[in-house]
Amino acid sequence: MSLIKLSEANLKIIKSITNSTYLDIIGLIIVITASIVLGYHNTEYKFTFQGKNYVFLLGYVSIINTGLSMIGNRLVTKKNNIGNLITTCNTFLSGSIDYLLGNKGAVLTYPVSFVANYLVFNTWKKSKVLRSIDFIFYRNIVLGFFFSIVLNYIAFKYIAQTEIDWKLFFAIAIPAGITFGGTFNTARMYPDNWFMWQFYNITKLIQNLLLMNIANSAKYSFYFFNAIIGYITWNDDKKKALK
């Protein structure tokens, strides 16, 4: 049963917004502007190779990564499998950036994300059936948190080679668990899976509002809005497919 009751006319408007190209452009502008305002473009990674010092413009690569993530997210919202392909390929870039920014556990967690995103892409090529919540939905959530906790523990314990900062551990492991579970469930196209992403968006939005990070708050506000219309559109499409 739908958690949101809307008239057919309102549903038509919302679905046209969901599937519009204009919203793609708006989202892209928001995330790129937020990245620039946050100063991501100024981030540099300095390293030495064969006795020479180099500077890698990590910030600009991060902005490209953010833009690709937004495009992938919007295409998935429109049930376009190219979005999953973009997300799968972009996992390499995201993992590399995360690692260079200090998340040493990225070498363990991002391969899981890559495999999960590829499985979503491969599954959508075979079937695009919108499903109701079942046992597999909950199983995938449990598996997501299991992989996140185990892999991050290994990273914090053996790769970081320092005492475990448990606050930082859970600050990384919990969002990663949500991401893993949400990605696993995207393969089966559950409309209710948008609530998993919504929980992630809300936690990030609250976090950035408390930090008075207005630019990042704007970015997650857009993701929050997109998850709402994504759920409404997918849920209505599922009901119509069952008739």
Side-chain angles (χ1 to χ4, degrees), residues 110-124:
Y110 275 90
V112 175
S113 294
F114 173 81
V115 172
N117 283 309
Y118 173 75
L119 289 176
V120 174
F121 170 69
N122 195 49
T123 301
W124 279 32

Side-chain angles (χ1 to χ4, degrees), residues 175-241:
I178 296 173
T179 301
F180 285 165
T183 303
F184 296 157
N185 280 328
T186 298
R188 289 176 59 82
M189 299 188 76
Y190 299 103
D192 294 279
N193 191 42
W194 283 106
F195 291 107
M196 281 290 291
W197 297 119
Q198 198 66 300
F199 180 68
Y200 176 83
N201 294 331
I202 290 173
T203 56
K204 297 298 289 185
L205 181 56
I206 292 174
Q207 180 187 72
N208 283 283
L209 285 173
L210 291 174
L211 294 172
M212 295 301 291
N213 189 330
I214 305 304
N216 241 4
S217 297
K219 181 174 73 173
Y220 284 104
S221 293
F222 178 83
Y223 281 124
F224 181 88
F225 169 75
N226 187 68
I228 291 175
I229 62 174
Y231 166 74
I232 293 172
T233 298
W234 283 32
N235 189 66
D236 186 63
D237 287 345
K238 184 190 73 174
K239 289 193 299 181
K240 286 182 168 59

Side-chain angles (χ1 to χ4, degrees):
M1 181 180 293
S2 174
L3 298 179
I4 302 175
K5 300 291 185 179
L6 295 167
S7 68
E8 194 62 35
N10 287 331
L11 278 170
K12 186 176 181 180
I13 293 173
I14 290 173
K15 292 173 79 170
S16 67
I17 294 173
T18 302
N19 296 305
S20 71
T21 302
Y22 295 111
L23 193 59
D24 301 350
I25 297 172
I26 292 172
L28 202 57
I29 291 173
I30 289 174
V31 296
I32 291 178
T33 301
S35 297
I36 294 175
V37 171
L38 287 168
Y40 286 166
H41 61 294
N42 294 321
T43 305
E44 298 178 343
Y45 180 76
K46 299 179 181 179
F47 64 99
T48 302
F49 181 70
Q50 294 184 344
K52 294 184 179 180
N53 296 323
Y54 295 91
V55 176
F56 177 59
L57 301 178
L58 182 61
Y60 289 99
V61 177
S62 296
I63 291 177
I64 293 172
N65 173 64
T66 301
L68 289 173
S69 296
M70 167 59 74
I71 293 171
N73 180 276
R74 281 291 302 141
L75 288 174
V76 168
T77 305
K78 295 190 284 188
K79 298 192 286 292
N80 187 328
N81 202 22
I82 294 177
N84 289 314
L85 179 61
I86 291 173
T87 302
T88 302
C89 297
N90 199 42
T91 303
F92 284 112
L93 189 57
S94 299
S96 300
I97 292 171
D98 220 11
Y99 179 82
L100 293 176
L101 289 175
N103 180 9
K104 302 307 179 185
V107 296
L108 298 177
T109 56
Y110 275 90
V112 175
S113 294
F114 173 81
V115 172
N117 283 309
Y118 173 75
L119 289 176
V120 174
F121 170 69
N122 195 49
T123 301
W124 279 32
K125 284 198 301 182
K126 300 174 182 177
S127 172
K128 288 186 179 181
V129 178
L130 294 163
R131 294 176 170 86
S132 299
I133 290 180
D134 53 15
F135 169 77
I136 297 176
F137 178 85
Y138 296 107
R139 183 204 66 183
N140 287 344
I141 293 174
V142 173
L143 283 175
F145 278 99
F146 172 78
F147 279 120
S148 176
I149 291 173
V150 170
L151 294 176
N152 277 293
Y153 178 79
I154 293 172
F156 273 73
K157 182 70 174 180
Y158 301 105
I159 297 179
Q161 297 180 339
T162 59
E163 288 295 321
I164 297 178
D165 181 340
W166 289 105
K167 289 184 179 179
L168 180 60
F169 173 82
F170 285 110
I172 293 176
I174 292 176
I178 296 173
T179 301
F180 285 165
T183 303
F184 296 157
N185 280 328
T186 298
R188 289 176 59 82
M189 299 188 76
Y190 299 103
D192 294 279
N193 191 42
W194 283 106
F195 291 107
M196 281 290 291
W197 297 119
Q198 198 66 300
F199 180 68
Y200 176 83
N201 294 331
I202 290 173
T203 56
K204 297 298 289 185
L205 181 56
I206 292 174
Q207 180 187 72
N208 283 283
L209 285 173
L210 291 174
L211 294 172
M212 295 301 291
N213 189 330
I214 305 304
N216 241 4
S217 297
K219 181 174 73 173
Y220 284 104
S221 293
F222 178 83
Y223 281 124
F224 181 88
F225 169 75
N226 187 68
I228 291 175
I229 62 174
Y231 166 74
I232 293 172
T233 298
W234 283 32
N235 189 66
D236 186 63
D237 287 345
K238 184 190 73 174
K239 289 193 299 181
K240 286 182 168 59
L242 293 174
K243 289 182 178 179

